[in-house]
Amino acid sequence: MEVSGLPLELWRLILAYMRLPDLGRCSLVCKAWYELILSLDSTRWRQLCLRCIECRHPNWPNQPDVEPRSWREAFKQHYLAAKTWTKNAQELESSNCFYLFRRRKDRRILYVGPGCEFDNLGSALTSANIYDKIVLFPGIYEEQGEIILNVPVEIMGQGKLGDVALLVCVDQHCATTRLCNLVFMPVWFSPVMYKVSSGHVQFDNCNFENGQLQIHAPGTCQVKFCTFNQASISLHSVALCVLENCEFVGSEIASVTVEGHPSSDRNWAYKHLMGLVKSSSALSTTQDSALFNPSNQETLGHLPTGNLRTCEIVVGEDQSNFLATSKSPQACEKDFQKENEINKDLCPARDKKEIVHDADSNDGSQSSGSENEPEDQLVYKLYHQPPGLSHTLARSLLGQPQTARLSNLQNGLELKTLHQELQRDSEAQSLASSLQGCLIRKCLFRDGKGGVFVCSQGRAKMEGNVFRDLVYAVRCVQNSKIIMLKNDIYHCKASGIFLRLEAGGLIADNNIYSNSEAGVDIRKGANPIILCNKIHSGLRSGIVVLGNGKGIIRSNQIYGNKEAGIYILYNGNPIVSGNHIFQGLAAGIAVNENGRGQITENVIRENHWGGADIRRGGDPVLRSNLICFGYSDGVVVGEQGKGLIEGNTIYGNKGCGMWIMSSSLPHITSNQIAHNSIYGVAVFCQKDDANDYLINQGSNENFNDEGEASNWENELDGEDDHFSSRRPISVALIESNSINHNGAAGLYVKSNEALNVIANIIHANQESGVAVLQSTQLTRIANNSISCNHLGGVLVESECRVELRGNGIYDNSGPGVSSKGDGTILENDIIGNRGCGLQLLQAANMKITKNRIHSFRDYGIVMLDHVKGIVLENMIFQGKTKKTILQQVSSLEDCLVQNNKLLAFKKSEVPWKLENPPARPHIEEATRSISTAHNSQKVANVTSRIATRVEGRCPNSRSIFCTIL
């Protein structure tokens, strides 16, 4: 009959009464009939799937309200899986010459129950032949002794699930068995309900109550649509077992225990299970597009291009201005062109690479000159060669067009998908595609102590499961490996995932949230790969690495955790790369108690405490990260903190860019520290309430593991290849950084330890470029460019010891250097500052030698009060106001002023030039300090990358510094 002979609705009504074999025959008639049968997906195929007593809803137990993509395909997959236990018979029949002796196999059905041929299961098994089917009528069947299964059979309960209950202890010795629609409970003499030592067992739609299943190698099992109520399953050295669509409820121990390395001794079912799993794997190529959908990734937009700001002032560079916030790139480009034309007119020698620096300019819009001054007075210049440091930094940081910088930043810092990560990491790809031991898929673990426990070199793979309201979700120890893909883990009373004792594996694309302790806890030499997870809303830290724990933590979203997003301590040493760590209620990354780690190319933003917090022996490498828009400081180096902090962009934080305690020993180099609300870099000797911070940050973290001692300091790793390429330092070192446009001083020092500040650009900060308020040990400030700051260039308070050597101090709004302390000022260029060039006050005792000093409107050197010292062999230029070059009001007895060269300004003379030597600072090895430019290029201009703006003040009413928080 032609399909077109009846309306489609009428066909569907007729076909709704047909059984499965009849539907199969109809689909073979022709293409039209085949398509008609396929069109019954939401009607007849759905009915067949839901009415089958051997299975449940395809998305049970996690998503029973979600329709499968195809009811027919779901029914087909279950039908094929239900026949796995019979594949052994096919192998026997295909044996050589077996067919000559084969007789017809008559499969009997044996009925057990009141009024039936058999009263109990034991008698039916005694009479059963191979592959017979035993049907149990509703009732409770209790066996007083252990049942030995020697014959492959199928045992099925009649009626609804729960109508047939077995109180048994079964020991399977045969090659294969299937059990369906039964409730298992333990007998009085043993908690073990079912045990397999060599064969294969298949459970479909069964309940297990208050007992255990045990599978020993080379045995295998396939468990589907089953409920374990206060029951568990133990797998010992199994080659492969499959648990699918199961529910585990209320277990007092781990619901699934996988123990021992997968055995090489495999039974007949191994290859069939492997084929079945691969055909429906979540990582099969047919589902790649769904699995690796980039729309699931948290992305960051662009800032409006009109709000771009750069961070450099370059003395003598042809583009010495910077982009103002209120100007668009087009307007700024016009300003650059206009400035170039002016400079070209004023300095014909430009073609000979002599660059003009306008002493009137101060960060773009400020000018020392009056609009009413004669034009000839505005030609007052100091010609000089560009300083090496500024020139190099400018080329590396400002040389690219804005659009190219934005494009590079977008490509470099956005989160990678799991597919991209697997493509670039062969080890992770191998783990993701491997299958050994136990496969747990689409299961629900809830309201019990533990989910999955893997130990003694065990192997387990978990896909698409839900772990909730447990003490812990997964625990992996003793050289075991786990592979976790696309699981949900939440509301655990302890950590979600524990890894101990050299454990490893792959944890990828999971959603881990709202756990009472860490989302992932790594210690005792564990070394997992953690990729592309969402770890958020935890009541403690997102990831904890301690006790010699390692691991690769890459491309994760870690946000909204109550404590540090990633917490590294007690010799933990992970590789943390390419993560987005944001909106945490504490630090983004905390490295404490001798923790280490390589922390590179992460986006750390909008955290309530420091973006990165290093203290108490923490010694990480913090490189090429974007640390921005935090409610407190960008980077904190607390008491006894160490580490290499290199090539980071620290931008727009509500506190300081970097907060450093003087008892620490960091190496801070090649960072961009800009637009932070308080200091660019602050160095303190101590702080009120610092102890409060230490208590709140880490002391109450539960690092004990069920009675394990927490004295991890004694478990030092023997291999100390710890960053062997790092340059050793004995004094805290701040070098080759750009510190600009911060809300207070660029560098603030209140320290009782020695400090080296070398080869930095400190520019356009709202207060002094460098402010030294306390320095009982020597603070060495050498070869820096300090320019266009809104107060003075360098401020030194009384009783401070400072050495200023080889700096270029230009165009600051106050004095170039103002000192009340002791020390040396040697070979600096102090040029074009609005206040006096060098100011000595109160009881200052300074040796001032071989400097070039000039003030545009004030005295070159001012010496007041009870100043002591030596002013020797300096070159002092007169400013525009015709004031005397040197003002001395102090006692002549205590000051030696000798052999200085004083130059008065005359229009007829050749303009002064800074040459022999050229303009300072001089950095012969500037390229070395910027050698990481191509690595940190991705974060060099982050101010244009992040879309989320953090407005308002720090929500805590106490001090904004993270130590007090």
Side-chain angles (χ1 to χ4, degrees):
M1 182 176 181
E2 293 293 334
V3 172
S4 58
L6 290 176
L8 183 60
E9 292 77 8
L10 189 55
W11 276 121
R12 288 176 177 172
L13 180 62
I14 296 170
L15 296 174
Y17 292 93
M18 300 186 71
R19 297 177 302 140
L20 180 62
D22 297 328
L23 288 175
R25 296 185 185 99
C26 289
S27 66
L28 299 176
V29 173
C30 63
K31 183 177 180 180
W33 276 86
Y34 175 74
E35 293 175 351
L36 175 63
I37 299 303
L38 290 183
S39 71
L40 305 177
D41 190 80
S42 60
T43 54
R44 184 54 178 160
W45 289 111
R46 185 177 185 276
Q47 292 173 359
L48 288 171
C49 197
L50 294 179
R51 290 178 183 176
C52 178
I53 65 170
E54 302 176 5
C55 67
R56 306 186 192 184
H57 190 286
N59 291 323
W60 183 88
N62 294 329
Q63 295 177 309
D65 299 327
V66 177
E67 298 270 315
R69 287 185 293 178
S70 170
W71 285 98
R72 176 181 170 276
E73 186 63 27
F75 186 77
K76 174 185 174 183
Q77 290 295 330
H78 172 72
Y79 182 85
L80 294 175
K83 302 302 178 184
T84 302
W85 78 283
T86 63
K87 299 292 180 65
N88 184 45
Q90 299 175 8
E91 292 187 2
L92 291 175
E93 292 176 0
S94 62
S95 299
N96 292 337
C97 302
F98 189 85
Y99 71 96
L100 297 175
F101 308 98
R102 185 177 60 197
R103 62 183 178 84
R104 177 181 175 82
K105 182 176 69 174
D106 294 322
R107 188 185 183 202
R108 296 186 304 162
I109 301 179
L110 307 181
Y111 295 95
V112 179
C116 298
E117 180 181 359
F118 301 99
D119 293 333
N120 56 66
L121 178 61
S123 59
L125 289 172
T126 304
S127 303
N129 292 321
I130 59 173
Y131 303 109
D132 282 350
K133 182 176 184 179
I134 299 175
V135 178
L136 301 177
F137 280 82
I140 300 176
Y141 299 86
E142 181 176 4
E143 299 292 335
Q144 296 301 317
E146 184 179 61
I147 294 178
I148 307 297
L149 271 181
N150 293 313
V151 178
V153 293
E154 179 180 19
I155 303 174
M156 180 175 291
Q158 185 78 14
K160 296 180 180 179
L161 179 62
D163 290 346
V164 180
L166 293 178
L167 281 74
V168 293
C169 176
V170 180
D171 188 356
Q172 177 181 323
H173 290 178
C174 58
T176 182
T177 297
R178 183 187 184 219
L179 301 105
C180 179
N181 203 38
L182 301 168
V183 175
F184 287 85
M185 292 182 286
V187 291
W188 59 273
F189 58 85
S190 175
V192 178
M193 297 176 289
Y194 204 98
K195 182 169 63 175
V196 179
S197 299
S198 60
H200 173 74
V201 62
Q202 181 171 332
F203 295 99
D204 289 315
N205 197 31
C206 293
N207 282 0
F208 300 92
E209 308 278 349
N210 303 301
Q212 298 177 14
L213 272 64
Q214 293 184 357
I215 313 296
H216 295 263
T220 56
C221 72
Q222 181 182 352
V223 184
K224 196 167 185 178
F225 297 115
C226 293
T227 298
F228 291 75
N229 187 9
Q230 296 184 354
S232 62
I233 179 169
S234 297
L235 309 173
H236 301 272
S237 299
V238 294
L240 183 60
C241 285
V242 180
L243 310 179
E244 288 187 290
N245 297 92
C246 294
E247 182 180 25
F248 297 83
V249 184
S251 175
E252 296 180 357
I253 58 174
S255 298
V256 179
T257 299
V258 183
E259 181 179 1
H261 192 275
S263 173
S264 58
D265 185 11
R266 299 167 180 172
N267 66 14
W268 66 269
Y270 175 83
K271 66 178 183 181
H272 298 289
L273 285 176
M274 186 66 73
L276 182 68
V277 167
K278 288 183 177 180
S279 67
S280 57
S281 172
L283 286 177
S284 64
T285 54
T286 58
Q287 297 184 21
D288 272 350
S289 59
L291 180 63
F292 305 122
N293 188 356
S295 65
N296 295 330
Q297 302 294 332
E298 184 264 350
T299 58
L300 297 173
H302 300 279
L303 287 180
T305 55
N307 289 335
L308 292 175
R309 304 177 74 177
T310 60
C311 310
E312 306 305 331
I313 183 70
V314 182
V315 177
E317 183 64 38
D318 57 340
Q319 296 180 352
S320 59
N321 281 342
F322 53 88
L323 302 181
T325 308
S326 60
K327 294 184 179 181
S328 66
Q330 292 80 6
C332 295
E333 185 176 353
K334 292 179 180 178
D335 290 344
F336 280 147
Q337 293 174 355
K338 182 178 180 181
E339 183 191 39
N340 292 340
E341 292 174 1
I342 294 174
N343 287 340
K344 192 171 183 179
D345 293 338
L346 294 177
C347 181
R350 182 182 188 87
D351 295 336
K352 299 179 182 179
K353 298 186 182 280
E354 288 186 306
I355 311 299
V356 174
H357 173 67
D358 187 349
D360 286 346
S361 68
N362 188 356
D363 200 27
S365 60
Q366 301 180 11
S367 175
S368 300
S370 169
E371 294 180 0
N372 299 323
E373 290 185 87
E375 185 176 351
D376 57 349
Q377 292 188 21
L378 297 178
V379 188
Y380 178 83
K381 304 289 177 185
L382 283 176
Y383 294 89
H384 56 272
Q385 294 288 344
L389 171 66
S390 302
H391 184 72
T392 307
L393 279 175
R395 288 193 175 277
S396 63
L397 301 176
L398 295 179
Q400 302 178 62
Q402 298 295 330
T403 55
R405 290 161 55 195
L406 288 174
S407 178
N408 291 341
L409 201 57
Q410 178 181 5
N411 295 334
L413 286 180
E414 64 183 11
L415 280 169
K416 291 182 172 58
T417 65
L418 179 56
H419 181 59
Q420 291 170 329
E421 286 290 353
L422 295 182
Q423 281 186 326
R424 74 171 187 162
D425 190 332
S426 58
E427 182 183 359
Q429 188 175 38
S430 176
L431 284 169
S433 59
S434 66
L435 181 57
Q436 281 185 307
C438 178
L439 172 64
I440 304 170
R441 190 160 61 185
K442 299 180 183 178
C443 294
L444 171 63
F445 297 81
R446 64 179 177 89
D447 303 315
K449 180 176 181 180
V452 179
F453 178 50
V454 187
C455 61
S456 301
Q457 302 183 34
R459 301 289 187 270
K461 186 172 187 177
M462 289 155 267
E463 294 181 8
N465 304 287
V466 173
F467 299 84
R468 64 176 174 86
D469 299 303
L470 304 163
V471 175
Y472 66 87
V474 178
R475 185 180 175 91
C476 182
V477 301
Q478 299 168 337
N479 293 97
S480 301
K481 286 189 178 180
I482 56 173
I483 301 163
M484 300 190 66
L485 304 173
K486 299 183 72 66
N487 302 280
D488 284 338
I489 301 171
Y490 58 97
H491 294 166
C492 293
K493 296 177 179 61
S495 296
I497 303 172
F498 289 85
L499 296 107
R500 304 283 187 278
L501 300 172
E502 311 297 330
L506 174 66
I507 301 171
D509 207 14
N510 302 282
N511 191 13
I512 305 171
Y513 62 97
S514 299
N515 298 291
S516 297
E517 298 290 339
V520 182
D521 189 309
I522 305 167
R523 63 179 81 182
K524 287 187 176 180
N527 190 17
I529 300 174
I530 302 175
L531 304 177
C532 303
N533 301 280
K534 290 184 179 179
I535 304 173
H536 60 98
S537 308
L539 300 183
R540 305 301 289 268
S541 299
I543 298 175
V544 170
V545 186
L546 68 154
N548 295 318
K550 301 176 185 177
I552 297 173
I553 303 169
R554 206 164 60 224
S555 297
N556 300 279
Q557 296 179 58
I558 304 172
Y559 59 95
N561 297 288
K562 193 171 183 180
E563 294 189 359
I566 298 177
Y567 203 174
I568 305 169
L569 67 168
Y570 297 130
N571 224 37
N573 190 14
I575 297 173
V576 182
S577 175
N579 304 280
H580 284 201
I581 305 170
F582 57 99
Q583 296 175 358
L585 300 182
I589 296 178
V591 187
N592 213 327
E593 302 292 355
N594 300 312
R596 299 182 290 178
Q598 298 189 52
I599 302 166
T600 61
E601 297 183 0
N602 302 280
V603 175
I604 306 171
R605 60 182 175 89
E606 301 171 57
N607 295 286
H608 282 230
W609 292 5
D613 189 287
I614 305 165
R615 62 183 68 234
R616 290 191 292 195
D619 190 12
V621 170
L622 188 70
R623 179 181 287 130
S624 301
N625 301 280
L626 163 58
I627 304 171
C628 62
F629 301 133
Y631 287 98
S632 186
D633 306 314
V635 175
V636 174
V637 186
E639 182 180 1
Q640 299 176 9
K642 304 176 186 176
L644 173 63
I645 302 171
E646 179 181 20
N648 303 281
T649 294
I650 304 170
Y651 180 89
N653 298 285
K654 296 292 185 183
C656 302
M658 295 192 67
W659 184 94
I660 304 167
M661 188 172 284
S662 62
S663 60
S664 61
L665 193 64
H667 183 181
I668 301 165
T669 179
S670 304
N671 300 283
Q672 299 292 309
I673 305 171
H675 297 282
N676 300 286
S677 295
I678 310 183
Y679 306 112
V681 178
V683 183
F684 289 92
C685 55
Q686 60 183 3
K687 201 160 192 198
D688 296 336
D689 297 329
N691 290 331
D692 294 345
Y693 170 80
L694 300 180
I695 291 172
N696 291 331
Q697 172 62 13
S699 296
N700 56 351
E701 181 83 55
N702 181 15
F703 295 122
N704 289 330
D705 183 18
E706 297 182 0
E708 295 177 10
S710 61
N711 189 22
W712 300 108
E713 306 96 297
N714 298 326
E715 282 191 28
L716 295 179
D717 225 346
E719 36 166 332
D720 206 294
D721 53 357
H722 175 44
F723 315 131
S724 57
S725 61
R726 282 165 53 176
R727 174 156 54 106
I729 59 173
S730 57
V731 175
L733 176 60
I734 302 172
E735 68 167 347
S736 303
N737 302 281
S738 174
I739 306 171
N740 58 85
H741 295 90
N742 296 288
L747 173 63
Y748 180 92
V749 180
K750 193 175 182 181
S751 171
N752 55 11
E753 301 288 343
L755 175 67
N756 289 338
V757 182
I758 300 174
N760 301 278
I761 291 180
I762 303 173
H763 168 69
N765 298 285
Q766 292 298 313
E767 295 182 4
S768 299
V770 178
V772 184
L773 274 67
Q774 178 180 330
S775 177
T776 55
Q777 301 292 325
L778 181 64
T779 296
R780 183 169 177 257
I781 303 172
N783 297 325
N784 300 279
S785 175
I786 304 171
S787 62
C788 295
N789 297 285
H790 289 204
L791 296 182
V794 179
L795 170 66
V796 182
E797 286 292 345
S798 60
E799 300 182 0
C800 294
R801 293 184 57 202
V802 174
E803 177 186 318
L804 288 169
R805 181 189 295 266
N807 301 282
I809 304 173
Y810 303 98
D811 294 338
N812 299 284
S813 297
V817 178
S818 177
S819 175
K820 301 175 185 178
D822 304 337
T824 303
I825 302 176
L826 176 65
E827 296 179 350
N828 301 278
D829 285 344
I830 307 173
I831 304 295
N833 300 284
R834 286 191 179 185
C836 55
L838 175 59
Q839 177 177 279
L840 304 181
L841 303 171
Q842 296 181 4
N845 186 356
M846 305 293 291
K847 182 178 180 181
I848 305 168
T849 309
K850 297 182 180 179
N851 301 279
R852 293 182 293 196
I853 302 172
H854 161 263
S855 173
F856 203 63
R857 292 181 171 276
D858 211 326
Y859 298 98
I861 298 179
V862 175
M863 305 172 69
L864 303 174
D865 304 325
H866 304 287
V867 169
K868 301 178 182 180
I870 299 174
V871 182
L872 187 66
E873 298 181 4
N874 300 281
M875 180 179 290
I876 306 173
F877 301 89
Q878 186 183 51
K880 292 174 62 176
T881 58
K882 307 297 183 181
K883 286 187 177 180
T884 56
I885 294 174
L886 186 147
Q887 181 185 32
Q888 183 174 357
V889 188
S890 60
S891 172
L892 295 176
E893 298 177 359
D894 297 324
C895 288
L896 176 62
V897 181
Q898 198 173 65
N899 297 334
N900 297 285
K901 186 176 181 180
L902 309 178
L903 299 178
F905 175 66
K906 296 180 180 179
K907 293 183 181 180
S908 60
E909 293 184 358
V910 178
W912 296 324
K913 298 181 181 180
L914 294 183
E915 56 187 7
N916 299 320
R920 298 181 176 97
H922 303 152
I923 306 296
E924 296 178 357
E925 298 180 358
T927 55
R928 177 192 56 77
S929 65
I930 313 299
S931 60
T932 58
H934 71 280
N935 292 327
S936 59
Q937 189 176 26
K938 298 172 229 174
V939 295
N941 302 300
V942 272
T943 59
S944 311
R945 178 67 178 88
I946 298 302
T948 307
R949 299 299 187 94
V950 180
E951 301 296 340
R953 296 187 176 184
C954 177
N956 197 310
S957 60
R958 301 173 70 182
S959 168
I960 200 168
F961 293 119
C962 73
T963 52
I964 292 183
L965 286 172

mmCIF file of all heavy atoms in Angstrom, residues 879-897:
data_model
loop_
_atom_site.group_PDB
_atom_site.id
_atom_site.type_symbol
_atom_site.label_atom_id
_atom_site.label_comp_id
_atom_site.label_asym_id
_atom_site.label_seq_id
_atom_site.Cartn_x
_atom_site.Cartn_y
_atom_site.Cartn_z
ATOM 1 N N GLY A 879 67.194 79.020 35.138
ATOM 2 C CA GLY A 879 65.867 78.907 34.549
ATOM 3 C C GLY A 879 65.416 80.174 33.861
ATOM 4 O O GLY A 879 66.150 81.165 33.761
ATOM 5 N N LYS A 880 64.152 80.204 33.383
ATOM 6 C CA LYS A 880 63.620 81.330 32.621
ATOM 7 C C LYS A 880 63.368 82.557 33.479
ATOM 8 O O LYS A 880 63.305 83.673 32.985
ATOM 9 C CB LYS A 880 62.303 80.915 31.956
ATOM 10 C CG LYS A 880 62.470 79.886 30.870
ATOM 11 C CD LYS A 880 61.119 79.407 30.357
ATOM 12 C CE LYS A 880 60.338 80.549 29.744
ATOM 13 N NZ LYS A 880 59.068 80.085 29.151
ATOM 14 N N THR A 881 63.188 82.367 34.789
ATOM 15 C CA THR A 881 62.773 83.486 35.642
ATOM 16 C C THR A 881 63.921 84.367 36.068
ATOM 17 O O THR A 881 63.719 85.319 36.828
ATOM 18 C CB THR A 881 62.076 82.928 36.899
ATOM 19 O OG1 THR A 881 62.989 82.050 37.564
ATOM 20 C CG2 THR A 881 60.821 82.172 36.519
ATOM 21 N N LYS A 882 65.141 84.059 35.645
ATOM 22 C CA LYS A 882 66.332 84.836 35.978
ATOM 23 C C LYS A 882 66.680 84.794 37.466
ATOM 24 O O LYS A 882 67.404 85.649 37.973
ATOM 25 C CB LYS A 882 66.168 86.309 35.555
ATOM 26 C CG LYS A 882 65.784 86.493 34.102
ATOM 27 C CD LYS A 882 66.861 85.969 33.176
ATOM 28 C CE LYS A 882 66.499 86.228 31.711
ATOM 29 N NZ LYS A 882 67.523 85.706 30.799
ATOM 30 N N LYS A 883 66.086 83.794 38.190
ATOM 31 C CA LYS A 883 66.463 83.657 39.587
ATOM 32 C C LYS A 883 67.898 83.177 39.660
ATOM 33 O O LYS A 883 68.436 82.598 38.723
ATOM 34 C CB LYS A 883 65.549 82.649 40.294
ATOM 35 C CG LYS A 883 64.155 83.187 40.570
ATOM 36 C CD LYS A 883 63.360 82.190 41.416
ATOM 37 C CE LYS A 883 61.999 82.764 41.747
ATOM 38 N NZ LYS A 883 61.198 81.823 42.577
ATOM 39 N N THR A 884 68.508 83.415 40.834
ATOM 40 C CA THR A 884 69.869 82.916 41.009
ATOM 41 C C THR A 884 69.880 81.405 40.899
ATOM 42 O O THR A 884 68.884 80.734 41.141
ATOM 43 C CB THR A 884 70.421 83.341 42.374
ATOM 44 O OG1 THR A 884 69.556 82.889 43.391
ATOM 45 C CG2 THR A 884 70.586 84.856 42.447
ATOM 46 N N ILE A 885 71.021 80.928 40.546
ATOM 47 C CA ILE A 885 71.123 79.496 40.272
ATOM 48 C C ILE A 885 71.117 78.680 41.552
ATOM 49 O O ILE A 885 70.564 77.598 41.616
ATOM 50 C CB ILE A 885 72.397 79.221 39.449
ATOM 51 C CG1 ILE A 885 72.245 79.880 38.072
ATOM 52 C CG2 ILE A 885 72.645 77.736 39.306
ATOM 53 C CD1 ILE A 885 73.482 79.791 37.227
ATOM 54 N N LEU A 886 71.687 79.233 42.620
ATOM 55 C CA LEU A 886 71.812 78.466 43.854
ATOM 56 C C LEU A 886 71.403 79.346 45.014
ATOM 57 O O LEU A 886 71.872 80.491 45.135
ATOM 58 C CB LEU A 886 73.263 77.986 44.026
ATOM 59 C CG LEU A 886 73.542 77.038 45.194
ATOM 60 C CD1 LEU A 886 74.650 76.064 44.810
ATOM 61 C CD2 LEU A 886 73.960 77.805 46.446
ATOM 62 N N GLN A 887 70.512 78.877 45.830
ATOM 63 C CA GLN A 887 70.073 79.607 47.007
ATOM 64 C C GLN A 887 70.528 78.856 48.248
ATOM 65 O O GLN A 887 70.175 77.688 48.438
ATOM 66 C CB GLN A 887 68.545 79.767 47.030
ATOM 67 C CG GLN A 887 68.073 80.565 48.244
ATOM 68 C CD GLN A 887 66.563 80.617 48.341
ATOM 69 O OE1 GLN A 887 65.904 79.672 47.934
ATOM 70 N NE2 GLN A 887 66.020 81.709 48.853
ATOM 71 N N GLN A 888 71.294 79.494 49.092
ATOM 72 C CA GLN A 888 71.840 78.837 50.274
ATOM 73 C C GLN A 888 71.513 79.679 51.500
ATOM 74 O O GLN A 888 71.972 80.799 51.645
ATOM 75 C CB GLN A 888 73.356 78.642 50.141
ATOM 76 C CG GLN A 888 73.960 77.894 51.315
ATOM 77 C CD GLN A 888 75.427 77.588 51.075
ATOM 78 O OE1 GLN A 888 75.951 77.893 50.005
ATOM 79 N NE2 GLN A 888 76.075 76.994 52.058
ATOM 80 N N VAL A 889 70.671 79.125 52.376
ATOM 81 C CA VAL A 889 70.302 79.819 53.597
ATOM 82 C C VAL A 889 70.816 79.044 54.808
ATOM 83 O O VAL A 889 70.608 79.421 55.936
ATOM 84 C CB VAL A 889 68.767 79.995 53.684
ATOM 85 C CG1 VAL A 889 68.372 80.892 54.855
ATOM 86 C CG2 VAL A 889 68.249 80.600 52.391
ATOM 87 N N SER A 890 71.435 77.938 54.573
ATOM 88 C CA SER A 890 71.918 77.098 55.664
ATOM 89 C C SER A 890 73.283 77.592 56.149
ATOM 90 O O SER A 890 73.899 78.468 55.551
ATOM 91 C CB SER A 890 72.028 75.646 55.187
ATOM 92 O OG SER A 890 72.927 75.556 54.112
ATOM 93 N N SER A 891 73.746 76.963 57.224
ATOM 94 C CA SER A 891 75.036 77.317 57.816
ATOM 95 C C SER A 891 76.169 76.967 56.862
ATOM 96 O O SER A 891 76.261 75.836 56.380
ATOM 97 C CB SER A 891 75.219 76.581 59.151
ATOM 98 O OG SER A 891 76.529 76.767 59.635
ATOM 99 N N LEU A 892 77.033 77.964 56.606
ATOM 100 C CA LEU A 892 78.131 77.725 55.671
ATOM 101 C C LEU A 892 79.171 76.759 56.246
ATOM 102 O O LEU A 892 79.901 76.114 55.508
ATOM 103 C CB LEU A 892 78.796 79.054 55.315
ATOM 104 C CG LEU A 892 77.944 80.059 54.546
ATOM 105 C CD1 LEU A 892 78.715 81.358 54.357
ATOM 106 C CD2 LEU A 892 77.525 79.474 53.220
ATOM 107 N N GLU A 893 79.214 76.670 57.551
ATOM 108 C CA GLU A 893 80.226 75.821 58.163
ATOM 109 C C GLU A 893 80.008 74.344 57.863
ATOM 110 O O GLU A 893 80.962 73.571 57.775
ATOM 111 C CB GLU A 893 80.237 76.046 59.678
ATOM 112 C CG GLU A 893 80.587 77.473 60.073
ATOM 113 C CD GLU A 893 80.516 77.674 61.574
ATOM 114 O OE1 GLU A 893 80.173 76.692 62.262
ATOM 115 O OE2 GLU A 893 80.801 78.777 62.050
ATOM 116 N N ASP A 894 78.739 73.945 57.743
ATOM 117 C CA ASP A 894 78.421 72.528 57.569
ATOM 118 C C ASP A 894 78.252 72.135 56.112
ATOM 119 O O ASP A 894 77.937 70.985 55.820
ATOM 120 C CB ASP A 894 77.139 72.178 58.337
ATOM 121 C CG ASP A 894 77.307 72.387 59.828
ATOM 122 O OD1 ASP A 894 78.425 72.116 60.321
ATOM 123 O OD2 ASP A 894 76.335 72.813 60.476
ATOM 124 N N CYS A 895 78.354 73.061 55.190
ATOM 125 C CA CYS A 895 78.155 72.744 53.776
ATOM 126 C C CYS A 895 79.414 73.118 52.998
ATOM 127 O O CYS A 895 79.983 74.203 53.173
ATOM 128 C CB CYS A 895 76.969 73.522 53.202
ATOM 129 S SG CYS A 895 75.393 72.932 53.793
ATOM 130 N N LEU A 896 79.775 72.232 52.110
ATOM 131 C CA LEU A 896 80.891 72.490 51.215
ATOM 132 C C LEU A 896 80.348 72.605 49.802
ATOM 133 O O LEU A 896 79.821 71.632 49.244
ATOM 134 C CB LEU A 896 81.920 71.354 51.299
ATOM 135 C CG LEU A 896 83.103 71.471 50.336
ATOM 136 C CD1 LEU A 896 83.919 72.741 50.620
ATOM 137 C CD2 LEU A 896 83.989 70.236 50.436
ATOM 138 N N VAL A 897 80.390 73.771 49.225
ATOM 139 C CA VAL A 897 79.917 74.036 47.867
ATOM 140 C C VAL A 897 81.136 74.410 47.039
ATOM 141 O O VAL A 897 81.728 75.485 47.245
ATOM 142 C CB VAL A 897 78.861 75.144 47.841
ATOM 143 C CG1 VAL A 897 78.379 75.375 46.415
ATOM 144 C CG2 VAL A 897 77.699 74.807 48.770
#
